[in-house]
Amino acid sequence: MVSLAACGTAGQSGGSSGASPSGSSSAIGTVDQGFKIGLLLPETKTARYEKFDKPYITEAIKGLCPKCEVVYNNANQDPNQQQQQVDSMLTNGVKVLIVDAVDAKAIASSITKAAGQGAKILAYDRLASGPIDGYTSFDNLQVGKMQGEALLDAIKAGGDPKRGPIVMINGSPTDPNAGDFKKGAHSVLDGQVTIGKEYDTPDWSPDQANTEAAGAFTALGADKVIGVYSANDGMAGGIAKAMSNAGVKAGTPLTGQDAELAAIQRILLGTQTMTIYKPIKPEAENAAQMAVALGTGQAVTGTTTVDNGTNKAIPAQIITPIVVTKDNIKDTVVKDGFWTVQEICTPAVEAACKAAGLE
């Protein structure tokens, strides 16, 4: 049997270790016999879900419960499809769900239905609405603060931080994490810089971010923009193209998040300033531990508790994110095996890799 109380993960933060546990209940299954655990991930546009989250979670569950079966679905950024996937899993006898919601509010009805059928639900990476039993993610306000601080520092290095406007391109309005990133960034940037244009970008779309950035540069003057806040790396890719096409000054600060391979390469080449590395393996291991605990009727504890609007203290395992710049790529994403030097240092980036000591 798995007791999460003894299963903390290095790098966690955000509250006391004595956070309230969810009440233990009758077991859905046992480790000896196994049971079905549903894994629902939101999309494939972001590289992490198929490359890291899915295999890490599956591997961790197998380590804790070798006879448990992982039933997997990806919603391809479609909230309706994700709701149908929940229904299918319930029909298939899945009674523990790990859900990374496409739309945190839209999924509430499916979560309520699942709970009504005796299923246990763990919100993964995004805090879903409805009667969930646990949550694991990163300190998302801190992510936004880190992005804002990195952008502000880079802008200040070039002179007066109010010498020109910045552009803010936030994430999807249906993703509660995006709201936290935005709030955290504003807490640092407000009053320190002039925000010329700001957008909330549906589906975290790189193409939409490219269009938004191009429009902002036209409206504000590409030669006047002194920095761009991008909430993640996928959008930063679209924004970087718009910056180049519009003639924004080379080296103008641009933020990101997720430590995607293309972003690491842009950082080395100087077309992106930083990214946020969120160590996915400990998050995935938290999810596996909590899911097995829920399935076997164990009390689930967290580093803190959260409230998703149900007025219930939900145990949460929260992990601290890490800022990645050109100076610490080797000591973060490479050291952890997130990306190898061979993956990063393609011919187009080889010279920049050598200059940064990545050989």
Side-chain angles (χ1 to χ4, degrees), residues 120-133:
K120 297 295 182 181
I121 302 98
L122 173 68
Y124 180 75
D125 206 57
R126 294 169 178 158
L127 184 59
S129 299
I132 63 174
D133 300 285

Side-chain angles (χ1 to χ4, degrees), residues 24-345:
S24 59
S25 60
S26 59
I28 287 166
T30 67
V31 168
D32 290 340
Q33 294 177 340
F35 51 92
K36 293 180 179 179
I37 299 174
L39 174 59
L40 298 106
L41 296 181
E43 44 101 346
T44 56
K45 288 181 182 178
T46 306
R48 59 170 284 189
Y49 294 113
E50 298 292 325
K51 183 176 176 62
F52 299 112
D53 297 81
K54 178 189 174 185
Y56 285 161
I57 292 171
T58 301
E59 179 183 0
I61 288 172
K62 289 300 180 184
L64 293 167
C65 183
K67 292 186 179 179
C68 283
E69 176 187 350
V70 177
V71 181
Y72 175 66
N73 283 130
N74 189 299
N76 296 307
Q77 202 66 50
D78 184 341
N80 293 323
Q81 183 177 350
Q82 190 166 63
Q83 290 173 318
Q84 292 166 6
Q85 289 169 347
V86 172
D87 288 341
S88 177
M89 286 190 178
L90 294 174
T91 301
N92 193 22
V94 175
K95 287 297 181 72
V96 179
L97 299 173
I98 301 171
V99 182
D100 190 341
V102 175
D103 186 321
K105 292 182 179 178
I107 199 67
S109 60
S110 294
I111 288 175
T112 301
K113 178 180 179 179
Q117 294 186 18
K120 297 295 182 181
I121 302 98
L122 173 68
Y124 180 75
D125 206 57
R126 294 169 178 158
L127 184 59
S129 299
I132 63 174
D133 300 285
Y135 173 54
T136 182
S137 187
F138 295 86
D139 187 337
N140 296 313
L141 279 172
Q142 185 62 24
V143 168
K145 289 178 182 178
M146 288 174 164
Q147 292 172 317
E149 287 164 356
L151 180 60
L152 184 59
D153 288 347
I155 289 171
K156 283 182 175 179
D160 180 359
K162 290 190 175 182
R163 65 188 182 277
I166 72 162
V167 177
M168 289 192 72
I169 299 184
N170 306 306
S172 173
T174 63
D175 182 347
N177 288 1
D180 284 343
F181 304 147
K182 179 179 176 179
K183 183 177 179 181
H186 272 287
S187 73
V188 173
L189 297 172
D190 287 355
Q192 299 294 313
V193 298
T194 301
I195 300 170
K197 292 285 184 180
E198 182 171 8
Y199 307 88
D200 293 335
T201 309
D203 298 337
W204 297 88
S205 168
D207 291 340
Q208 181 64 25
N210 174 275
T211 300
E212 291 164 348
F217 301 149
T218 298
L220 299 171
D223 58 331
K224 294 182 172 59
V225 172
I226 61 170
V228 182
Y229 170 85
S230 171
N232 82 347
D233 290 336
M235 296 194 306
I239 295 164
K241 290 178 183 177
M243 292 171 75
S244 176
N245 291 340
V248 174
K249 183 180 177 182
T252 295
L254 171 65
T255 66
Q257 176 186 189
D258 291 327
E260 290 198 351
L261 180 59
I264 298 298
Q265 293 171 331
R266 286 194 297 271
I267 289 169
L268 287 164
L269 293 170
T271 56
Q272 184 170 325
T273 308
M274 56 79 71
T275 186
I276 297 289
Y277 171 44
K278 298 185 294 187
I280 295 169
K281 194 166 188 178
E283 183 187 27
E285 290 172 345
N286 285 344
Q289 291 164 354
M290 296 173 92
V292 172
L294 288 168
T296 53
Q298 304 301 301
V300 176
T301 61
T303 54
T304 187
T305 60
V306 295
D307 182 355
N308 67 345
T310 57
N311 296 317
K312 171 187 173 184
I314 299 161
Q317 294 277 3
I318 304 298
I319 302 168
T320 302
I322 301 166
V323 172
V324 176
T325 65
K326 189 180 296 187
D327 296 332
N328 69 344
I329 290 171
K330 189 173 184 178
D331 294 327
T332 53
V333 295
V334 172
K335 183 179 179 181
D336 282 3
F338 194 74
W339 299 115
T340 66
V341 171
Q342 289 72 28
E343 286 173 316
I344 295 168
C345 298

